[in-house]
Amino acid sequence: MNICMTPHPFGGVLAVPSSKSLGHRDLICAALAEGESVVEHISPSEDIEATCRVLRHFGAQIEEISDTLPGRVSYRIQGGIRQGRNPVTVDCGESGSTLRFLIPLGLLTGRTVTYTGRGRLVSRPLQPYYAIFQSRHIAYQTADDGGLPLTVTGTLSPGAYTLPGNVSSQFFTGLLLTLPLLTGDSALYSSTTLESASYVGLTLDTMARHGVQVEEEKPGVYQIAGGQSYQPGRYEVEGDYSQAAFWLAAGCLGHDVKLTGLRRHSAQGDEVIVDIIRRMGGRITEEPDGLMASPSALKGTTIDAGDCPDLVPVLTVLATAASGTTHIVNAARVRLKECDRLHAMAEELNKLGGRITEEPDGLIIEGTGQVHGGCVQAWNDHRIAMSLAVASQIAEGPVQIDGAECVRKSYPRFWQDVAAMGGTYTEEAGSDE
């Protein structure tokens, strides 16, 4: 699907989609609890569907039920990992969270599990797990290039585990979710400075709400008591700061945008978007029922993306709209997402007249205030497509975004919400060639 955006400011009131990061974690913890749980207020997406699909293969019964909020669903879950002997193949779609969170859990099933996927997920790094498999004598087989499909046979034993902290925090989450269920105690260490530590904090916070405790001596050092169990219950998923970032940026570039459904002082690391925008001169005010972003004169700054990599695409748009130079640093891992997001944002915004220079671990953005129109690519990456939609507000002519359907991965209603917030676009089918 190709979307052609006519430059027009966004504005209005919007209920923010639920946190996809929390949705994954709440669903997994509920699926690991013996008994019935309900997880409420989840915004449907392909990634959430992938996690439910794999958890069903592992033994959880998951039923979608109605929700009290429009555009959201709840899930009734009869939890518990089920042992089995027959091999099983599970489809993780394009969800890196699903794959990396659930590989360790698959070792609790007693089955040979084959993990498949699509798109760039097939080649996203899994070496930290391979190193653990080798040291623990867990049998595994990959495709010739080391990617998916991945077949794993074996069991996970308690003990000391070490992971690199500069690849992805998702490996830490996968082990932290699983190790408390083993019979003995374990420890988990990061061999480097732990990047995206806030995402691990989100995992620990979610686990605690579901009845499982992990002692964090410091970021990257965790003591994990074995023999614990997740508790069933009713859990609500809060609004997503990763998705809110697009609308907060839009409000600074267009008309007032008010967002509801966000919890202030959240465990979500991407809440830092509020502080970053304010540091750039953006006007964001707190209201009793939400946050308001208002048109602002932005200025360049230095942004450390080590703990907020998902914000880099939309921050690149804000930096292009700002005066002066913005330097995004510590963002090398952004190259390992659904696409190489550093290259993609530089490539596409430069097509529109931006002035962006790539560095190995970041971007230098010279603010131009405006861009001209043109045709850009979404790179099969939801965050690229949504960021380019925000960029259309500062364009002098129409911006055509090819491959715009990729927003289904995390935010299927995005284009509907764009229209509801005053965005003007036409839609046409893309070519298969």
Side-chain angles (χ1 to χ4, degrees), residues 35 62 166 226 232 244 292 307 322 329 405:
I62 303 176
N166 57 354
M292 176 81 80
D307 204 33
V329 301
E405 73 282 354

Side-chain angles (χ1 to χ4, degrees), residues 203-258:
T203 301
L204 299 180
D205 182 69
T206 305
M207 292 169 63
R209 287 190 291 108
H210 289 258
V212 171
Q213 302 292 330
V214 170
E215 180 186 350
E216 182 181 26
E217 294 185 359
K218 62 180 181 179
V221 179
Y222 308 95
Q223 301 298 329
I224 304 140
Q228 299 189 64
S229 57
Y230 290 90
Q231 300 304 305
R234 183 174 290 268
Y235 303 94
E236 297 183 4
V237 181
E238 66 187 69
D240 191 353
Y241 276 95
S242 301
Q243 308 291 32
F246 300 104
W247 298 110
L248 293 174
C252 291
L253 304 181
H255 293 323
D256 287 346
V257 170
K258 181 178 177 179

Side-chain angles (χ1 to χ4, degrees), residues 16 28 45 61 65 99 105 113 122 219 231 267 286 309 362 419:
V16 177
I28 293 169
S45 69
Q61 299 175 38
I65 58 177
L99 177 65
L105 289 176
V113 182
V122 171
Q231 300 304 305
E286 296 186 31

Side-chain angles (χ1 to χ4, degrees), residues 237-322:
V237 181
E238 66 187 69
D240 191 353
Y241 276 95
S242 301
Q243 308 291 32
F246 300 104
W247 298 110
L248 293 174
C252 291
L253 304 181
H255 293 323
D256 287 346
V257 170
K258 181 178 177 179
L259 301 180
T260 63
L262 293 169
R263 190 179 89 185
R264 295 298 284 142
H265 311 297
S266 169
Q268 297 179 59
D270 282 347
E271 186 181 11
V272 74
I273 185 65
V274 175
D275 295 330
I276 293 173
I277 290 177
R278 285 174 172 164
R279 200 150 41 85
M280 296 181 74
R283 294 169 54 207
I284 298 181
T285 55
E286 296 186 31
E287 305 209 344
D289 58 346
L291 289 176
M292 176 81 80
S294 301
S296 308
L298 302 174
K299 59 182 184 299
T301 188
T302 298
I303 300 170
D304 186 336
D307 204 33
C308 56
D310 285 343
L311 299 180
V312 167
V314 76
L315 288 173
T316 307
V317 173
L318 282 176
T320 296

Side-chain angles (χ1 to χ4, degrees), residues 131-213:
I132 286 175
F133 296 162
Q134 292 164 8
S135 66
R136 298 269 168 169
H137 306 292
I138 295 170
Y140 72 100
Q141 183 175 359
T142 71
D144 290 342
D145 59 358
L148 301 184
L150 165 67
T151 300
V152 185
T153 305
T155 58
L156 205 60
S157 57
Y161 290 82
T162 301
L163 288 170
N166 57 354
V167 179
S168 173
S169 64
Q170 292 171 343
F171 298 106
F172 285 82
T173 288
L175 284 174
L176 287 168
L177 289 167
T178 307
L179 293 174
L181 300 175
L182 304 183
T183 55
D185 298 345
S186 298
L188 178 58
Y189 303 96
S190 179
S191 60
T192 69
T193 299
L194 178 60
E195 299 182 13
S196 291
S198 63
Y199 282 97
V200 177
L202 200 66
T203 301
L204 299 180
D205 182 69
T206 305
M207 292 169 63
R209 287 190 291 108
H210 289 258
V212 171
Q213 302 292 330

Side-chain angles (χ1 to χ4, degrees), residues 24 27-32 37 39 42 44-65 73-84 86-92 98 102 105-106 109 111 113 115:
H24 284 299
L27 287 168
I28 293 169
C29 291
L32 293 174
S37 296
V39 180
I42 289 186
S45 69
E46 290 182 345
D47 282 7
I48 290 293
E49 290 172 6
T51 288
C52 289
R53 189 165 56 239
V54 177
L55 290 172
R56 289 185 182 106
H57 278 293
F58 289 171
Q61 299 175 38
I62 303 176
E63 174 191 6
E64 184 178 312
I65 58 177
V73 298
S74 294
Y75 291 92
R76 181 182 291 117
I77 302 165
Q78 192 68 35
I81 292 291
R82 302 292 180 258
Q83 295 284 313
N86 295 331
V88 63
T89 297
V90 298
D91 175 16
C92 298
T98 301
L102 297 183
L105 289 176
T109 67
R111 299 174 181 267
V113 182
Y115 299 87

Side-chain angles (χ1 to χ4, degrees), residues 11-29:
V13 180
L14 184 72
V16 177
S18 70
S19 166
K20 185 162 67 79
S21 296
L22 281 169
H24 284 299
R25 289 162 171 81
D26 273 317
L27 287 168
I28 293 169
C29 291

